């Protein structure tokens, strides 16, 4: 084959953009044609989305123009939506046209997992993209405006967050910070506003350090969040939610943060999946497809105990480094690397000036953890866009 190999990267999230940036550094001139496809012309920083969703930050701060991150002389960028992957034909069908590939990188991210709970897809909102968080932010403000016209409707001022995993916890922290501002703006008595964080498991943040979970819950309760733990949401309706306990809560806003699954297109393409995610081999390839790499929320990597690592930005970025290396090695006929995840820890924000985390073997909480969270955010901006992006988007 004398033709230049074609690499197509689907999705410019954490996995996709870091793969593209690494490839543009590592590939020599004319060694491969690289095309990056994304449905928007910007990369969004998913790990910041709880802030613009609650309205404590501007959505602009959570997105970056893709052409500012890649070198157009080395990577072709196609703004389009992928609608189908055809592994047998080595083709990807986009809304506008078709792309053929020799190597494919799937980094299309996850989708909300609703576990078939009736009404969630139709009536709940989810924190997934710039468009979805702009909607949530506007929706929340609108409920305050509506309440002023119909003061008997306190359900307009009731906010339900379904799932107290990290996304739910980070979002209620921001929402609780936003409420006093909205109450002032709309002349609403703050005691009428209710924020419920409802969690099916016996604890918030299941699996996380119990002492830090208790700290987080205390901080959030002091800000006005009511937790309902060991209480599953059974149904969502336009009026609110029904709980497994039989209780019903009327609310005009339900934000579902109950988990993520992989992209539906992977099932449709005929890959073997678990909740829409492909269990990749040690080189990060889809089993049986040596030319298809799968990253981030679309992939499953097992830990040494045989359980899947949680889908995070951290693992997506580490996968992207190995994926880029393996693509270059394949093209050059060199040895591929195995992927070994090295967790650097977890830090979660609880709103302004408060966070919890485990870094290495150290537990951190409060203001110090909040500073650590900022350091992690800034580090990511530096990795993808260097000092200019840190200065432009870093929130100090
Ligand atoms: P994503 O980053 O989701 O990117 C997918 C990309 O594909 C997007 O650009 C999307 O527009 C594009 N796309 C999707 N479908 C199509 C299509 N059909 N056609 C074209 N393009 C498409 N993880 C951490 O490690 N630390 C954190 O602090 C953290 N905080 C989080 C906070 C929140 C509020 C949320 C929701 C998640 C957080 N996570 C965090 C998890 C982390 O954001 C995800 O695991 C990570 O974004 C997954 O990266 P990815 O590359 O798989 O996909
Ligand atoms: P998750 O799966 O981690 O948490 C979802 C929560 O919803 C679980 O606690 C689950 O028990 C609960 N739940 C499920 N069904 C329910 C029901 N019917 N009723 C009530 N509760 C229900 O999902 P997530 O929080 O969106 O996180 C997704 C991934 O992103 C995870 O890997 C997480 O670690 C990562 N993340 C990391 C950070 C961070 O590091 N700061 C922040 C956000 C997300």
């Amino acid at each position: 084959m004398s033709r230049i190999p074609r690499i197509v990267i689907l999705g410019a999230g954490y996995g996709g953009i870091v793969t593209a940036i690494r490839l543009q550094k590592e590939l020599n001139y004319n060694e491969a044609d690289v095309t990056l496809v994304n449905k928007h012309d910007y990369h969004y920083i998913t790990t910041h989305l709880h802030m613009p969703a609650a309205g404590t930050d501007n959505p602009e701060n959570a997105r970056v123009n893709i052409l500012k991150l890649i070198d157009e002389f080395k990577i072709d960028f196609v703004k389009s939506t992928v609608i189908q992957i055809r592994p047998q034909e080595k083709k990807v069908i986009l809304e506008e046209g078709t792309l053929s590939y020799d190597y494919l990188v799937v980094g299309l991210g996850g989708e909300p997992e609703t576990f078939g709970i009736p009404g969630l897809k139709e009536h709940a909102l989810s924190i997934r993209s710039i468009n979805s968080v702009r909607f949530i932010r506007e929706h929340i403000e609108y409920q305050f405006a509506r309440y002023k016209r119909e003061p008997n409707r306190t359900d307009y001022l009731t906010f339900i967050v379904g799932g107290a995993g990290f996304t739910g916890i980070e979002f209620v922290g921001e929402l609780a910070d936003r409420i006093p501002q909205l109450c002032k703006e709309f002349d609403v008595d703050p005691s009428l506003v209710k924020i419920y964080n409802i969690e099916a498991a016996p604890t918030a943040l299941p699996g996380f350090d119990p002492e830090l979970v208790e700290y987080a819950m205390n901080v959030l309760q002091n800000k006005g969040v009511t937790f309902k733990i060991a209480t599953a949401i059974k149904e969502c309706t336009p009026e609110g939610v029904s709980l497994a306990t039989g209780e019903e809560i009327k609310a005009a806003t339900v934000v579902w943060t109950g988990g993520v699954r992989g992209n539906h297109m992977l099932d449709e393409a005929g890959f073997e999946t678990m909740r829409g995610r492909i269990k990749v081999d040690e080189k990060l390839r889809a089993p049986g497809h040596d030319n298809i790499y799968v990253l981030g929320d679309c992939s499953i990597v097992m830990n040494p105990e045989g359980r899947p690592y949680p889908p995070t930005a951290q693992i997506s970025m580490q996968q992207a480094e190995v994926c880029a290396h393996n693509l270059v090695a394949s093209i050059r006929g060199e040895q591929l690397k195995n992927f070994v995840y090295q967790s650097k820890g977890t830090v979660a924000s609880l709103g302004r000036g408060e966070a919890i985390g485990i870094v290495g073997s150290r537990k951190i909480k409060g203001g110090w953890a909040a500073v650590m969270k900022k350091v992690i955010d800034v580090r990511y901006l530096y990795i993808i866009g260097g000092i200019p992006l840190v200065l432009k988007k870093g929130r100090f």
Side-chain angles (χ1 to χ4, degrees), residues 13-15 38-39 46-47 82 108-109 296-297 311-314 316 373:
Y14 286 81
N38 197 62
K39 64 162 101 159
T46 316
T47 58
V82 181
L108 292 167
D297 288 4
T312 60
Q314 192 184 155
S316 310
K373 180 81 180 148

Side-chain angles (χ1 to χ4, degrees), residues 83-87 111 263-271 273:
I83 51 177
Q84 201 184 30
I85 301 169
R86 293 189 186 164
E111 295 175 354
N263 195 290
H264 66 279
M265 271 181 282
L266 298 179
D267 291 317
E268 289 165 12
F271 292 105
T273 65

Side-chain angles (χ1 to χ4, degrees), residues 250-269:
K250 286 201 177 308
T253 309
V254 179
V255 177
W256 176 245
T257 57
V260 287
R261 53 176 288 116
N263 195 290
H264 66 279
M265 271 181 282
L266 298 179
D267 291 317
E268 289 165 12

Side-chain angles (χ1 to χ4, degrees), residues 129-175:
S129 63
I130 293 290
N131 289 335
S132 77
V133 301
R134 275 196 292 232
F135 190 91
I136 295 174
R137 171 194 162 123
E138 294 294 322
H139 173 90
I140 292 170
E141 280 196 29
Y142 180 51
Q143 301 320 306
F144 279 77
R146 281 173 99 192
Y147 170 74
K148 292 309 283 188
R149 282 166 56 106
E150 297 172 76
N152 59 326
R153 295 291 303 270
T154 48
D155 57 315
Y156 291 159
L157 300 180
T158 302
F159 300 92
I160 291 177
V161 179
F166 283 111
T167 306
I169 289 287
E170 289 198 321
F171 177 62
V172 290
E174 296 300 318
L175 185 58

